[in-house]
Every structure is written in structure tokens, then in C-alpha cells.
């Protein structure tokens, strides 16, 4: 099966499962799980932050971070299409009593500084929520957000008294794509949420990194959100394995996505709209979408061709260079 729907579909490898089985465990709610402690400090160190906190999901990690930055009635500036705004069930508003202030993205995925500045509410006027935080995302829909933009946006945020959070679900993809250490990608932000269940191949798990103070606030929120886990070292072991074995190979996913884009570009009935890191967006000929999806599924290739917008194709550690060629040939055959 070649599954291009998402990089979340990866299953733990035999070696990862072995690491999980043999991990030393304790009760993490009591702060005693040695494997969780090891993961948290390894990720924090690599990200250049003082502390880390393990979460069952990136959604919970982002939410606890927003709640650690913002109080009830505060507001965060966030992209209109950002995961922390659009794809997390409205958790910040519902569970955090934090108002999102969505901002339209520029073409490159960034949030223009003038739009951000215009959205900051005047201090001390009870008409308004208190603007407290800028939340960015990198990579954003596979796009590497330019470092110069991130520096300018976070410098600006600090100059007007806002905290900064990065939804770094795929920040390792950003680091690998830009050839920079993880700490460089995280340095401009007060907090960063990092997923291990995407291209890194762990079954679940995210780590939030930041200062000691921020992480201890987030730990309290995590407990309240139902995320205090007991022998969670069994899961943290998978993330540690991913950290040690699956980071550098993200470059293969990026190369495979590039090869897939190149191969599909030559086929009539496919328009490649963009390719960045491990994602490409293509438009298939609308009338052929349903038949194409079904025909590919028959050949054990999973994607869902959508006729009314771009189809997202994602490479990951279960998609090889040979698989990419098989997909290109199958698409060419069925669109002929
Ligand atoms: C996957 C993802 C998350 C977190 O998702 P979970 O499925 O809850 O782990 C957050 N942000 C982005 C950009 C993501 O892709």
C-alpha cells in the first residue's frame, strides 16, 4: 500500500516497537517516568530551550501552550488557515476562553506585518480583548517560512509586548529543508510544539518546549485537559527512537516529493500547483477525479483526488523512491 494522504499514516517500525517494549517506565504524573524525562530533556536541548513537556497529541500541546501564554479574555494573532486556528476544534476559544484573531496569509504563508500590527487592540480599553500572543506555523502546508520573515515578525511581536508560539508540528522538516539546526528554527519563539507522529514516524506524541515557567504552566493545563499520563514512557520511547533515527531521513521525503512533482508535471490532466518539503498540491482534471481515486486504490495507491480544489499528496517514511515511480506510472496510465 502506498498511502499519500498524510505523513500521519506511518506505523511504528519493528525497531521502534522494540524500543517501546524495552523502555524503562514510571508514573509520569508523579514525574517518575525515566523515558519521558529523557525525551523531554533531549528535545528541549536540541531545540535550545530550558524545558520540554510530552503530550499525547499536537492539538493538546498547542492548546496547553496557548493557555500558558494567554488568560481568559486574551487574544492571539494567528493565520486564517493555521492549524491552531482552523483545525483544532476551536479549542482555544472553547476550553481556553482565548479569542483567536485570524489574519489572512500572504502567498508564501506568512502573516504580513502590517496586518498583524493593525490587529493589535489598544491596551486598557474594555471594548477589546487583550492581544497577548503571535502564533505562527512552520512548515506551513509544507512551505518553509522564510527565516528573515520569522525574525522580523517575532522581533515586532516582542516590541509590542506579545509572546510568540510556533506550531512546529513539522519544524524538523523545516530544519532539514533549510540545512539548519532545530535550535535555529526555535530560537525566535518563546514556545514551540513539535510533533513526532508525522514524518518522524512515531504512533503518537508531541513535545512542547519553552522556558521553565511556561512549561510548568502548560503542565497544569495538560493535567486539566486530561493529558496527564502514567507510564507514558512506552510512547515517549517511540519519539526518542524517531528523534535518534528518523530526522535526517526527512531529506529523502523531500527528494521523493520533488521526484513525484517532476513525474506528475509531464502528465496531461495533472497540474502541479506547488511542491515544498514533503508535500505537493496538484489539481487533477475534475471530471476524472473519482475514477482516478478508485483506479489507484485498486492498485493499492491511496490518495483522494478532489475536483473542487487542490489534492494534497504527502511523502513519508513508508513511501520509497520506487513507490514514487509506481505512482507516476499509475497516474499516467489512468489519465491516458
Ligand atoms: C498534525 C498537526 C498538528 C497536531 O495534530 P495532532 O494530530 O493533534 O497531533 C498541529 N499542527 C499542524 C500544522 C499539524 O499538521
Amino acid at each position: 500500500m502506498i498511502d499519500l494522504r498524510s505523513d500521519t499514516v506511518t506505523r511504528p517500525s519493528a525497531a521502534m516497537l522494540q524500543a517501546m517494549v524495552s523502555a524503562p517506565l514510571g508514573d509520569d504524573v508523579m514525574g517518575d517516568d525515566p523515558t519521558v524525562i529523557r525525551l523531554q530533556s533531549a528535545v528541549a536541548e536540541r531545540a535550545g530551550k530550558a524545558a520540554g513537556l510530552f503530550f499525547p497529541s499536537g492539538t493538546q500541546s498547542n492548546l496547553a501552550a496557548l493557555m500558558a501564554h494567554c488568560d481568559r479574555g486574551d487574544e492571539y494573532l494567528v493565520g486564517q488557515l493555521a492549524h491552531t486556528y482552523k483545525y483544532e476544534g476551536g479549542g482555544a476559544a472553547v476550553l481556553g476562553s482565548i479569542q483567536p484573531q485570524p489574519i489572512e496569509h500572504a502567498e508564501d504563508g506568512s502573516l504580513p506585518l502590517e496586518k498583524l500590527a493593525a490587529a493589535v487592540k489598544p491596551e486598557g480599553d474594555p471594548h477589546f480583548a487583550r492581544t497577548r500572543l503571535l502564533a505562527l506555523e512552520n512548515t506551513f502546508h509544507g512551505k518553509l517560512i522564510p527565516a528573515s520573515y520569522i525574525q522580523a515578525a517575532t522581533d515586532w511581536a516582542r516590541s509590542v509586548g506579545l509572546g510568540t508560539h510556533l506550531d512546529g508540528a513539522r519544524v524538523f522538516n523545516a530544519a532539514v529543508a533549510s540545512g539548519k539546526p532545530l535550535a535555529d528554527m526555535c530560537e525566535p519563539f518563546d514556545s514551540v510544539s513539535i510533533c513526532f507522529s508525522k514524518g518522524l514516524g512515531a504512533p503518537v506524541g508531541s513535545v512542547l518546549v519553552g522556558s521553565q515557567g511556561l512549561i510548568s504552566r502548560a503542565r497544569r493545563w495538560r493535567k486539566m485537559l486530561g493529558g496527564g499520563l502514567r507510564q507514558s514512557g512506552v510512547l515517549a520511547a517511540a519519539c526518542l527512537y524517531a528523534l535518534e533515527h528518523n530526522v535526517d531521513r526527512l531529506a529523502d521525503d523531500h527528494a521523493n516529493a520533488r521526484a513525484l512533482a517532476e513525474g506528475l508535471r509531464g502528465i496531461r490532466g495533472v497540474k502541479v500547483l506547488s511542491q515544498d518539503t514533503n508535500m505537493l498540491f496538484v489539481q487533477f482534471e475534475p471530471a476524472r477525479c473519482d475514477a482516478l481515486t478508485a483506479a489507484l486504490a485498486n492498485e493499492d495507491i491511496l490518495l483522494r483526488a478532489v475536483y473542487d480544489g487542490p489534492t494534497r499528496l504527502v511523502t513519508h517514511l513508508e513511501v520509497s523512491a520506487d513507490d514514487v515511480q509506481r505512482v507516476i506510472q499509475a497516474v499516467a496510465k489512468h489519465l491516458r
Side-chain angles (χ1 to χ4, degrees):
M1 192 66 88
I2 305 173
D3 193 341
L4 298 169
R5 293 171 304 167
S6 176
D7 49 7
T8 56
V9 301
T10 55
R11 289 151 300 183
S13 64
M16 183 181 278
L17 287 168
Q18 194 49 52
M20 296 169 76
V21 166
S22 53
L25 304 176
D27 185 335
D28 183 58
V29 174
M30 299 185 190
D32 287 347
D33 189 296
T35 307
V36 171
I37 292 169
R38 227 182 101 207
L39 174 70
Q40 290 174 163
S41 53
V43 178
E45 190 189 326
R46 195 134 161 190
K49 301 295 186 208
L53 186 62
F54 184 54
F55 284 83
S57 75
T59 297
Q60 195 179 73
S61 170
N62 276 325
L63 177 55
L66 296 178
M67 293 172 80
H69 279 281
C70 299
D71 291 327
R72 188 170 188 226
D74 288 352
E75 167 184 86
Y76 69 115
L77 308 179
V78 63
Q80 186 77 51
L81 302 175
H83 204 281
T84 49
Y85 170 58
K86 191 175 176 186
Y87 299 99
E88 297 183 2
V94 174
L95 301 171
S97 300
I98 306 162
Q99 164 169 287
Q101 169 60 69
I103 307 287
E104 285 301 330
H105 297 267
E107 190 66 31
D108 66 357
S110 67
L111 307 177
L113 295 191
E114 62 280 9
K115 286 190 185 165
L116 290 172
V120 175
K121 311 302 182 289
E123 280 283 340
D125 182 334
H127 284 94
F128 302 110
R130 290 165 305 200
T131 314
R132 280 287 177 269
L133 177 71
L134 171 64
L136 299 179
E137 186 175 319
N138 194 20
T139 61
F140 171 74
H141 298 185
K143 280 190 163 58
L144 180 65
I145 301 295
S148 56
Y149 165 78
I150 286 181
Q151 199 57 56
T154 51
D155 284 349
W156 166 81
R158 232 158 250 126
S159 77
V160 296
L162 305 186
T164 52
H165 173 69
L166 179 69
D167 177 358
R170 296 185 180 82
V171 69
F172 273 113
N173 293 82
V176 167
S178 57
K180 290 195 186 132
L182 183 71
D184 284 22
M185 316 307 290
C186 298
E187 196 278 329
F189 296 94
D190 300 327
S191 57
V192 183
S193 170
I194 305 172
C195 279
F196 288 83
S197 58
K198 303 281 163 78
L200 295 181
V204 295
S206 285
V207 174
L208 178 69
V209 294
S211 67
Q212 293 287 358
L214 184 128
I215 291 300
S216 69
R217 289 197 300 282
R219 180 178 289 108
R220 188 180 149 71
W221 290 125
R222 182 185 70 170
K223 182 68 180 160
M224 222 182 281
L225 295 169
L229 303 178
R230 302 295 178 175
Q231 286 71 36
S232 42
V234 71
L235 300 171
C239 301
L240 267 173
Y241 182 90
L243 186 67
E244 284 157 15
H245 297 90
N246 293 346
V247 172
D248 293 341
R249 65 149 308 287
L250 291 174
D252 301 344
D253 297 344
H254 301 172
N256 286 337
R258 213 173 304 123
L260 184 56
E262 273 160 27
L264 293 179
R265 229 172 241 129
I267 299 172
R268 235 192 24 226
V270 192
K271 193 166 159 201
V272 176
L273 304 171
S274 67
Q275 180 270 315
D276 297 279
T277 63
N278 68 329
M279 289 188 194
L280 54 154
F281 290 87
V282 302
Q283 181 66 61
F284 292 109
E285 200 180 306
R288 317 273 304 260
C289 280
D290 290 346
L292 180 66
T293 301
L296 293 175
N298 257 335
E299 298 195 28
D300 289 338
I301 297 169
L302 281 191
L303 56 82
R304 203 173 69 80
V306 283
Y307 53 86
D308 57 351
T311 297
R312 186 184 81 160
L313 306 178
V314 189
T315 58
H316 50 75
L317 89 182
E318 291 186 24
V319 177
S320 68
D322 287 347
D323 291 342
V324 164
Q325 295 312 315
R326 226 182 93 201
V327 171
I328 294 165
Q329 281 158 21
V331 171
K333 185 173 87 185
H334 292 297
L335 287 182
R336 192 171 295 142

